[in-house]
Amino acid sequence: MDKLRRVLSGDEPTPEEESSIITQINDMSTLSWSTRIKGFIICFALGILLSILGSVALFLHRGIVVFAVFYTLGNVISMASTCFLMGPFKQIKKMFAETRLIATIIVLVMMVLTFIAAIVWKKAGLTLIFIIIQSLAMTWYSLSYIPYARDAVKKTMSAILEV
């Protein structure tokens, strides 16, 4: 009750009280490992489902706009699903780490440009180009989480190009 009075009266908490409050908030907001896994699986599955629905909509002649919106939202939700595993701040920190910086920027820029090309400009060809670049950048970004995967892809591509 004293803490509540101090907060309401504008008194500053002591460092011990402040650290205990932060600890309490952290303890209350921390998800269990099983909840994190469930959240990840649900978001990732929803992201894949939206991407697939976008592809189905394209083949059902619903237009490039529907495809672009569903596909890009699917990628956004799939990418955000990893926030359940490591937390949003750690996820953002890892996304903008030196090894992923360029891929992350390209993915995010292509997502925005895909929306703009599809919804605002209504240019199907440009939307498709942005989606292709988005997919390639997303693949390169995803490979950065697998040790030596990028090196293997580079070696494979150089061997294919030499032939």
Side-chain angles (χ1 to χ4, degrees), residues 16-132:
E16 297 83 29
E17 290 175 340
E18 191 170 297
S19 67
S20 69
I21 291 170
I22 292 171
T23 304
Q24 289 173 358
I25 291 171
N26 191 28
D27 289 343
M28 289 187 309
S29 65
T30 302
L31 300 173
S32 69
W33 185 246
S34 65
T35 304
R36 289 174 182 259
I37 294 294
K38 290 173 190 172
F40 167 75
I41 291 170
I42 290 168
C43 278
F44 192 74
L46 180 63
I48 290 172
L49 178 68
L50 286 174
S51 295
I52 291 171
L53 285 175
S55 300
V56 169
L58 183 65
F59 288 109
L60 294 176
H61 304 292
R62 298 288 181 228
I64 193 79
V65 174
V66 174
F67 169 66
V69 169
F70 274 86
Y71 183 81
T72 303
L73 282 177
N75 278 344
V76 168
I77 293 172
S78 293
M79 190 182 255
S81 69
T82 56
C83 288
F84 280 100
L85 297 179
M86 61 183 89
F89 296 114
K90 193 172 182 182
Q91 169 67 18
I92 290 170
K93 189 176 178 182
K94 284 189 172 220
M95 284 175 65
F96 290 97
E98 186 179 339
T99 56
R100 296 180 190 93
L101 181 63
I102 294 172
T104 300
I105 291 170
I106 293 172
V107 167
L108 296 175
V109 167
M110 288 303 120
M111 287 178 175
V112 170
L113 287 176
T114 300
F115 279 131
I116 292 171
I119 298 169
V120 178
W121 299 333
K122 298 187 188 312
K123 300 286 186 182
L126 197 55
T127 302
L128 195 57
I129 290 170
F130 290 151
I131 286 172
I132 291 168

